[in-house]
Amino acid sequence: MQKSTIFRVIQEWLSLQADVEIIDWPPRAPNMKLIKNMWSEVKRTMQEIWPILPPRNSDALWTLTSDACDEVALSQRQARSLTESCREECNQCLKHR
């Protein structure tokens, strides 16, 4: 099944649910991509702590990725910034619907 077909089926199913309100949402809203933004931050952090040579095996890559995720998760400033930008985008979308 193609993505567009899956999207239409899900949208139709959601529209039939009594407790679900479907609202128009701007396509590709940059601040709404919280997970993508978080992974971008993990990647940036990995590049900062990346050794001169890239990890030589999957265990080394896992360790590097895990360390970067921990560092990003512990950064309250970064988490607050990402969630605040998401909240602002939601409010803007709801205001203009």
Side-chain angles (χ1 to χ4, degrees), residues 12-70:
E12 183 178 323
W13 180 83
L14 286 171
S15 70
L16 298 174
Q17 306 307 305
D19 59 341
V20 174
E21 178 186 1
I22 297 177
I23 61 174
D24 290 328
W25 210 257
R28 296 178 177 82
N31 291 332
M32 294 305 299
K33 298 179 180 178
L34 192 57
I35 299 300
K36 182 178 179 182
N37 291 344
M38 187 62 88
W39 274 113
S40 293
E41 196 58 33
V42 169
K43 180 180 176 183
R44 185 192 61 71
T45 302
M46 286 174 70
Q47 290 169 340
E48 285 179 0
I49 59 177
W50 198 279
I52 293 172
L53 296 173
R56 295 188 180 270
N57 57 45
S58 59
D59 289 338
L61 179 59
W62 178 256
T63 299
L64 178 63
T65 305
S66 179
D67 290 348
C69 286
D70 288 346

Side-chain angles (χ1 to χ4, degrees), residues 31 34 76 78-88:
N31 291 332
L34 192 57
Q76 291 181 1
Q78 181 61 32
R80 193 175 301 116
S81 172
L82 287 170
T83 55
E84 185 58 35
S85 67
C86 185
R87 182 180 297 118
E88 288 172 14

Side-chain angles (χ1 to χ4, degrees), residues 2-9:
Q2 293 182 347
K3 278 186 175 182
S4 59
T5 304
I6 293 169
F7 172 77
R8 279 194 296 269
V9 169

